Amino acid sequence: MSTATTTPQRDAAQRTDDKHARRFGLPIATALVMGNIIGGGIFLLPASVAPYGTLSLVAFGVLTLGAIALALVFGRLAHRHPQTGGPYVYAREAFGDFAGFLTAWSYWITTWVSNAALAVAAVGYLDVLVPVHGSKAATIAAALLFQWLPALANLAGTRYVGAVQIVATVLKFVPLILVAVGGLLFFDSANLGPFHASDGSALGAVSASAAILLFSYLGVESAAVSAGEVRDPRRNVGRATVLGTLGAAAVYLLGTLAVFGTVAHDKLVTSTAPFSDAVNAMFGGSWGGAAVACMAMVSMLGALNGWTLLSAQAPYAAARDGLFPKVFTVKRRGVPTVGVLVTVVLASFLTVYNYTAGTEGVFEVLVLVTTFTATVPYLLSTAAQLYFLLSGQTDRVHRPRLVRDAVLALAAFGFSLWLVAGSGYAAVYQGVLFLFAGVLVYAWMAARRQRATAQGVSSDGDRRGGESGALA
């Protein structure tokens, strides 16, 4: 038996790396979940669902219940598998390498396309404060700045990622909560308008408004994906996931209700800045637009900070198992640096393409694709939980909790299917094409692993043959 030794230089490097690679506790993990769920969508959602009437609040409630069920399932899975990678780890453990690869591939697409979308949306709010849309070059530069600042924070180490996330979350939620609570004080039921404002059935209106709200709940898996960087993950991942989801849901529901009750329905339907209109209605003046623009930018910077970390974690976990190129395993200061760089470069190219080609419709379809691609890991994760429950693997399941865990897993699976249906035919079509493109990458990586295994067996056989010849 041999014992590994380390040189003084390696020890010093490890100490330096540890100084920047601090593990997340429960508060930071919760902030990561809340920050990733609540990006810039909260500032647009009230106006987006207003055409359906206050019935859209029912869709909020259904989505919240589904998100909480999904959060509880992720908490149970993370208790058994507290490794970095989250859904990828669960799918691979249950269904093998191919399912694990599809999970990692799909989740990776979700993260970097979402980053491009958030950056473009952030520039829209920046334009309220500093007019940049008059110059295409200035607009592109601003969008790239919104992407690269969080990337640089990530490259500085997980210690700084956590610090940025806490600051961004506080700066984001304090004003949002003030608007939500203040709006309830100025609440006027006459502003609500009709309960069912659209044509068709009430069930159809709930489904239609839910389709708009789907993207707003992506991110419930954030703590599970970064479980390897969370302190005491068996305990904290589940708690952070549930607490973060509940906190985000409370902000969504209170904020939307406050805007509904302070802005007249006919004005809200056509509003492009509903929170600004709500602030103006509460306090008068026109300063609300600038204040909300600042809140939106802080919100999206926090979301970009967290999503950038997640965008590197899934390919890192897959590359560690030989399912992604090995270069994605490069890690420095607790952060998979190559994953961060590749992701921000891809998102930057997509952003530049969007502005220079003027393909706004295509970009919007890609954003909807993220709703579909994000549900692939959700479906496979909940299916993995059902597999563990039904396969009799008692080491993964506490028998007294069997019925409860099964009901939660089925509810989360149904919720994920609803997300797929709500993303629309075009998004599902485009998303399937993205998934099939990944099959080529999997074939290449699987062939490399097979060749390496065959060469290893051949070399071992030659060595044993040589030893037999020598003995003879």
Side-chain angles (χ1 to χ4, degrees), residues 387-409:
Y387 167 78
F388 295 144
L389 293 170
L390 298 175
S391 61
Q393 299 185 37
T394 55
D395 62 320
R396 291 181 170 84
V397 181
H398 294 280
R399 288 192 179 276
R401 300 174 179 171
L402 181 61
V403 175
R404 186 200 68 181
D405 287 349
V407 170
L408 283 174

Side-chain angles (χ1 to χ4, degrees), residues 118-120 122-124 126-127 130-133 135-150 297 301 304 351 355:
L118 282 170
V120 171
V123 173
L126 176 65
D127 193 61
V130 181
V132 294
H133 279 155
S135 168
K136 183 174 290 187
T139 303
I140 293 175
L144 295 180
L145 184 65
F146 275 113
Q147 291 176 16
W148 280 91
L149 284 177
M297 286 190 292
L301 276 173
L304 279 164
T351 303
Y355 281 120

Side-chain angles (χ1 to χ4, degrees), residues 65-78 81 86-92 94-95 99 103 220-221 224 241 374-391 396-397 402 404-420:
L65 292 176
I68 291 173
L70 197 58
L72 290 169
V73 171
F74 276 125
R76 296 303 305 148
L77 288 167
H81 298 285
Y88 158 75
V89 174
Y90 317 142
R92 183 170 182 262
F95 308 121
T103 301
V220 297
E221 73 291 339
T241 302
T375 59
V376 173
Y378 293 171
L379 284 168
L380 288 171
S381 295
T382 53
Q385 174 71 338
L386 289 170
Y387 167 78
F388 295 144
L389 293 170
L390 298 175
S391 61
R396 291 181 170 84
V397 181
L402 181 61
R404 186 200 68 181
D405 287 349
V407 170
L408 283 174
L410 286 171
F413 189 86
F415 173 67
S416 301
L417 280 180
W418 191 34
L419 292 179
V420 173

Side-chain angles (χ1 to χ4, degrees), residues 262-343:
T262 53
V263 181
H265 180 261
D266 56 346
K267 182 179 181 181
L268 183 60
V269 169
T270 59
S271 174
T272 57
F275 268 75
S276 294
D277 293 336
V279 170
N280 291 338
M282 286 187 287
F283 305 111
S286 59
W287 55 271
V292 171
C294 292
M295 288 186 282
M297 286 190 292
V298 170
S299 174
M300 283 180 279
L301 276 173
L304 279 164
N305 182 61
W307 276 106
T308 300
L309 175 63
L310 298 186
S311 69
Q313 299 289 18
Y316 165 78
R320 224 175 28 187
D321 297 325
L323 301 181
F324 260 52
K326 188 178 180 179
V327 69
F328 282 95
T329 60
V330 175
K331 202 169 187 181
R332 187 167 178 261
R333 295 178 173 179
V335 174
T337 52
V338 173
V340 170
L341 289 172
V342 171
T343 295

